[in-house]
Amino acid sequence: MPTRAFLYDATATDHSVSLDAQTMTALHDRQLLWVDVGEYSEDELRQVGAFLKLNRESVYNLLQSERRPRLDNYGDYFQLTVSTIQDEDGKYSLVQLQFVVLPNCILTVHKQSVAFLESFDQRVKADSQLGELDAPAFLAALLDWHITSYFRIIEQFEAAVDKIDAHALRARHTRDLLTELAKLRQRVGFVRQMLTPHREVYAALARPDFQMLSISDSAAHYSLLNDRLNRAIDAVENARELLVSSFDIFTTQTTLRTNEVMKVLTLASFIWFPASVIVSIAAMLLRTPVDALHTRGFWVMTFAIVGIGIFTLAAARLRRWI
């Protein structure tokens, strides 16, 4: 996605603009410029940085990949790095998203598409009053969507765990539940690894000594965002506990099914044991059992074997062993 600039104007219609000196000069308090840079080259990003008059170190940090979530204050503006997750057919990958918050302007930089940014942009289908917001307030709105994206992933976890539990509780199942649980465990671990480092960043944004936000009308929003992030982390921990509970259900059901199989095998061996004894005794006492006793001896042994089997099954049923 190429670099694009969109102007939210509370005094006129929101519209796309070209990124030039005239646009920056004409910005006023009831306008907000959002510059989004995606799939960029190094030269393109340096040009945008030069146009917005960013610090050299700031541009250098924007060019770095796979940075830990962090907050940098450059005096007139601040820069924020967060991590988001891209889901491709059940496989998670890290997407780094960087914000630069300037007066009446916010810059977002990312190498790959960011789902929650696209969702935010698509929700604004008509003229809005986002121009009334200052840049910190607009950042708070985007960060709220950032946390929401993690909550949606957690909801998918919980739905998947519920399906596994329902399948595991069936008398018979054909799915490899242990493999599915292992995959979910890896995904939960990945999400937790990506989400937890944001604590220090969101806490820093909510601190009253961070002057660029403390003087903004949106200062209270960052305290709420910090609380919401902590709830998201707690939700991930809860998802891990659900997986442990699901594994317990799986192992319990497996044990029960194994016990049933062993019960049947034990009962079968108990039924056939008297039969083998009867046949063995008859073979020892009678040289030719069938010829000597004619067919009567055969049927006597058969009825004895069947009778013992029926009696054993009835006794097992009466005692609720089966």
Side-chain angles (χ1 to χ4, degrees), residues 39-187:
E39 300 178 8
Y40 55 87
S41 65
E42 182 176 339
D43 290 340
E44 290 173 338
L45 188 56
R46 289 189 181 278
Q47 289 176 3
V48 173
F51 180 78
L52 297 177
K53 299 179 180 179
L54 300 182
N55 185 288
R56 182 177 180 180
E57 181 183 354
S58 176
V59 176
Y60 172 79
N61 288 333
L62 289 175
L63 290 169
Q64 303 307 304
S65 59
E66 299 183 2
R67 298 177 71 219
R68 180 182 174 87
R70 60 178 293 171
L71 176 65
D72 296 303
N73 191 346
Y74 293 97
D76 295 335
Y77 67 93
F78 66 92
Q79 185 171 317
L80 176 69
T81 303
V82 299
S83 299
T84 185
I85 293 176
Q86 184 170 335
D87 185 359
E88 296 180 353
D89 299 327
K91 295 182 179 180
Y92 292 158
S93 60
L94 170 68
V95 178
Q96 181 176 284
L97 174 62
Q98 302 189 76
F99 299 93
V100 179
V101 182
L102 304 100
N104 294 356
C105 177
I106 187 167
L107 169 67
T108 53
V109 179
H110 48 94
K111 271 286 188 182
Q112 299 169 269
S113 61
V114 179
F116 78 84
L117 281 185
E118 295 176 356
S119 297
F120 179 86
D121 191 33
Q122 292 170 2
R123 290 292 180 93
V124 185
K125 298 182 180 299
D127 196 29
S128 68
Q129 292 299 312
L130 290 176
E132 296 283 3
L133 301 177
D134 58 7
F138 187 71
L139 173 65
L142 294 178
L143 291 180
D144 187 67
W145 279 74
H146 173 240
I147 299 175
T148 298
S149 67
Y150 280 97
F151 273 113
R152 289 178 177 172
I153 291 174
I154 295 167
E155 289 174 1
Q156 294 174 1
F157 284 147
E158 293 174 346
V161 169
D162 288 341
K163 290 181 179 179
I164 289 177
D165 288 348
H167 209 75
L169 290 171
R170 295 178 184 175
R172 295 181 180 179
H173 60 77
T174 57
R175 290 164 54 181
D176 188 357
L177 299 183
L178 187 59
T179 300
E180 292 185 33
L181 285 171
K183 290 180 179 179
L184 281 178
R185 177 64 181 81
Q186 290 177 347
R187 294 176 191 173

Side-chain angles (χ1 to χ4, degrees), residues 234-279:
D234 290 340
V236 174
E237 295 294 341
N238 183 61
R240 293 180 67 191
E241 293 176 2
L242 287 176
L243 283 173
V244 173
S245 299
S246 296
F247 182 76
D248 290 341
I249 292 174
F250 170 76
T251 53
T252 300
Q253 288 296 103
T254 302
T255 301
L256 289 174
R257 281 191 289 271
T258 303
N259 289 340
E260 291 296 324
V261 172
M262 294 303 298
K263 192 185 298 182
V264 171
L265 292 175
T266 302
L267 190 60
S269 63
F270 188 78
I271 291 173
W272 284 108
F273 177 73
S276 62
V277 172
I278 293 172
V279 173

Side-chain angles (χ1 to χ4, degrees), residues 207-228:
R207 283 203 309 262
D209 61 339
F210 190 54
Q211 187 176 5
M212 293 192 68
L213 293 181
S214 62
I215 61 176
S216 171
D217 295 336
S218 61
H221 297 314
Y222 286 94
S223 179
L224 296 175
L225 283 174
N226 188 39
D227 293 339
R228 195 158 186 256

